[in-house]
Amino acid sequence: MTTKDYPSLWGFGTTKTFKIPIEHLDFKYIEKCSDVKHLEKILCVLRSGEEGYYPELTEFCEKHLEALAPESRALRKDKPAATAASFTAEEWEKIDDDIKSWVSEIKKEEDKMHFHETETFPAMKDNLPPVRGSNSCLHVGKEKCSKRPTKRKTPRDYAEWDKFDVEKECLKIDEDYKEKTVTDKSHLSKIETRIDTAGLTEKEKDFLAIREKEKGNEAFNSGDYEEAVMYYTRSISALPTVVAYNNRAQAQIKLQNWNSAFQDCEKVLELEPGNIKALLRRATTYKHQNKLQEAIEDLSKVLDVEPDNELAKKTLSEVERDLKNSEAVSKTQTKGKRMVIQEIENSEDEEGKDSGRKHEDGSGDKSKISFLFRLCKKLPFYMMSWLSFSICTEIRNLPVFLALPCKFTSQLRSSFS
């Protein structure tokens, strides 16, 4: 070997790791050294090969270290992973027996659990709550679902495609979607809206309020807004807080209960005036109740505090647009004139009751004249001869006829003669 293979050994200096002087990597120094920790460092450097590989020097260092400290960690060597050939026949028999005993114990535990399920679950089945987002309760036992989804028949050729009813299929898809989304809300009636806090400390009330609020948050995140309202109400009954009122207002908005949401927002603003979330949600209720000016006031307050609030900006633009549209509609309505046409009909009973009054002011005579004229028009010509005299005398004797001007009475007389 040349000096190029051992450049750092023949030079002066220290090693990269542990900063050991190069002169210590020598047979004479190792033989005289009695410091166990220093020898361990020298052995680690020799094994790493950063100053070159010296098998004889490494072996000499290991023997000297073993003589000084037989239990040194530096002398430990990694054992390879065991394989099937590493075990003897006796060891294999022991391993096999351990596995068989473990399997038998697990089977016994499963049988015990199944036995307890069959005894206890039938009595508890009615009291189990339904699974959220489904119409069925918790299934007990190993019952397999017998219902299988029916496969839809798809047309294969053009003739079948002509018979295919698209609207009918769309209706079926909508019905299936409604059946899946509609959940059973009967479990809500079992939830009490109030918590009895008699005799509880403030810490216990606070704990109950937080727990019920978290239940409401979980229901809200899963889309069960009615259940969320119930749990928020329970939280408020334990300890009224701004967060619970705010969250219940948001759930009421999702359910489009604008009055309830407005009342919750008012409660929040009583407890904490200037609450941003409450102002935003009250503005939403104002918007849907067509109180646009009040909504603009609330949104302006929000933007005064948070000018970069995107939700407030978007809602304000929508409210201003609706306000402009309503003002334009009101202007177009005020330009035209409204005429009220009222039709008055006098019944026969009223005419009979007020017959005396009509005779006094002459209105009854007018009705008689109109009746006689209509009767003359409807009668045949051959009947007019014997009725003309009686009708003419009746009309001429009426006070209304006598009050008419002369030119009208002369025309009427000539027509009846």
Side-chain angles (χ1 to χ4, degrees):
M1 286 187 165
T2 61
T3 56
K4 291 182 179 179
D5 299 328
Y6 309 99
S8 62
L9 184 61
W10 306 118
F12 295 94
T14 58
T15 59
K16 293 179 181 178
T17 57
F18 303 121
K19 302 296 181 181
I20 299 170
I22 299 299
E23 291 84 0
H24 292 182
L25 304 178
D26 186 46
F27 284 96
K28 292 180 180 180
Y29 179 83
I30 292 171
E31 187 179 2
K32 293 178 181 179
C33 183
S34 59
D35 189 356
V36 176
K37 290 185 178 180
H38 192 63
L39 285 173
E40 287 178 351
K41 292 178 181 179
I42 291 170
L43 182 59
C44 183
V45 171
L46 291 171
R47 284 176 177 174
S48 65
E50 64 181 41
E51 300 295 337
Y53 290 99
Y54 311 100
E56 294 177 358
L57 185 61
T58 305
E59 187 178 354
F60 180 76
C61 185
E62 287 177 355
K63 288 179 181 180
H64 186 63
L65 183 61
E66 188 177 357
L68 294 174
E71 296 179 357
S72 176
R73 291 185 178 182
L75 297 174
R76 295 176 185 177
K77 294 182 180 179
D78 295 333
K79 291 184 179 180
T83 59
S86 304
F87 299 100
T88 61
E90 294 177 357
E91 290 175 343
W92 272 116
E93 287 180 2
K94 187 179 179 181
I95 292 169
D96 190 35
D97 293 338
D98 291 341
I99 292 172
K100 286 180 179 178
S101 63
W102 179 78
V103 170
S104 61
E105 289 177 2
I106 293 297
K107 284 184 178 180
K108 287 179 183 178
E109 292 293 331
E110 285 184 353
D111 293 337
K112 287 180 182 179
M113 290 173 65
H114 182 65
F115 178 74
H116 287 300
E117 282 180 0
T118 53
E119 281 189 347
T120 57
F121 267 76
M124 295 172 62
K125 186 174 180 181
D126 296 334
N127 298 325
L128 289 174
V131 179
R132 179 174 288 143
S134 65
N135 294 325
S136 60
C137 294
L138 183 65
H139 294 289
V140 181
K142 297 180 180 179
E143 297 179 358
K144 293 183 179 179
C145 186
S146 59
K147 293 183 179 180
R148 293 182 179 179
T150 57
K151 294 182 179 179
R152 297 183 182 274
K153 294 181 179 179
T154 55
R156 297 182 179 179
D157 54 6
Y158 289 106
E160 291 183 2
W161 276 110
D162 292 337
K163 297 177 183 178
F164 184 74
D165 193 352
V166 179
E167 293 181 357
K168 189 176 181 181
E169 291 296 323
C170 290
L171 289 173
K172 285 182 180 179
I173 293 170
D174 293 339
E175 288 175 0
D176 294 341
Y177 178 74
K178 287 179 182 178
E179 289 177 0
K180 290 179 182 178
T181 52
V182 173
T183 56
D184 187 13
K185 299 296 182 182
S186 60
H187 67 283
L188 294 177
S189 60
K190 299 178 183 178
I191 302 174
E192 296 181 359
T193 55
R194 295 188 63 83
I195 298 176
D196 187 11
T197 57
L200 299 179
T201 62
E202 290 297 323
K203 288 185 177 180
E204 290 173 341
K205 291 178 182 179
D206 187 33
F207 173 76
L208 287 174
I210 292 171
R211 187 187 67 181
E212 297 300 321
K213 177 179 70 67
E214 288 176 353
K215 288 181 182 179
N217 292 343
E218 184 182 351
F220 185 89
N221 293 330
S222 63
D224 295 335
Y225 302 120
E226 293 181 6
E227 187 174 347
V229 169
M230 299 286 286
Y231 282 118
Y232 290 141
T233 305
R234 285 169 63 86
S235 176
I236 292 167
S237 68
L239 186 66
T241 57
V242 171
V243 177
Y245 276 119
N246 244 335
N247 292 356
R248 192 172 71 172
Q250 183 63 22
Q252 296 284 14
I253 288 172
K254 292 288 185 181
L255 294 171
Q256 297 184 0
N257 297 333
W258 312 119
N259 289 328
S260 301
F262 174 77
Q263 291 173 5
D264 287 339
C265 294
E266 289 288 318
K267 286 283 185 182
V268 174
L269 294 172
E270 286 178 9
L271 297 172
E272 186 181 327
N275 187 281
I276 299 299
K277 290 183 179 180
L279 288 171
L280 275 171
R281 287 162 189 171
R282 190 172 72 173
T284 305
T285 60
Y286 278 143
K287 175 188 171 186
H288 289 88
Q289 290 175 340
N290 205 22
K291 297 178 181 179
L292 303 179
Q293 198 62 42
E294 290 85 345
I296 290 172
E297 292 176 2
D298 282 351
L299 293 170
S300 300
K301 292 177 183 178
V302 173
L303 291 173
D304 290 340
V305 180
E306 296 181 0
D308 297 330
N309 194 312
E310 296 296 331
L311 181 60
K313 289 180 180 178
K314 181 181 177 183
T315 310
L316 182 61
S317 63
E318 292 175 358
V319 171
E320 288 177 347
R321 183 187 60 200
D322 294 342
L323 186 62
K324 288 180 182 178
N325 293 336
S326 62
E327 288 176 355
V329 171
S330 62
K331 285 180 181 179
T332 54
Q333 289 179 354
T334 52
K335 286 180 181 179
K337 293 182 179 180
R338 292 184 180 180
M339 295 179 65
V340 180
I341 300 172
Q342 191 174 5
E343 185 177 354
I344 300 172
E345 294 182 357
N346 294 325
S347 61
E348 294 179 0
D349 296 335
E350 291 176 352
E351 287 177 2
K353 289 179 183 178
D354 299 333
S355 59
R357 184 171 53 83
K358 288 180 180 180
H359 282 295
E360 290 176 0
D361 57 4
S363 60
D365 296 334
K366 292 179 183 178
S367 62
K368 282 185 179 181
I369 293 170
S370 62
F371 171 73
L372 291 172
F373 274 112
R374 277 185 273 129
L375 180 64
C376 293
K377 288 181 179 180
K378 290 181 180 179
L379 286 173
F381 181 76
Y382 61 87
M383 295 179 67
M384 293 297 294
S385 58
W386 61 276
L387 283 173
S388 60
F389 179 75
S390 60
I391 291 171
C392 290
T393 53
E394 183 69 21
I395 291 172
R396 287 174 183 174
N397 293 329
L398 291 174
V400 176
F401 181 78
L402 297 174
L404 290 173
C406 296
K407 59 179 180 179
F408 291 111
T409 54
S410 60
Q411 289 178 2
L412 287 171
R413 287 192 182 95
S414 60
S415 62
F416 281 123
S417 60

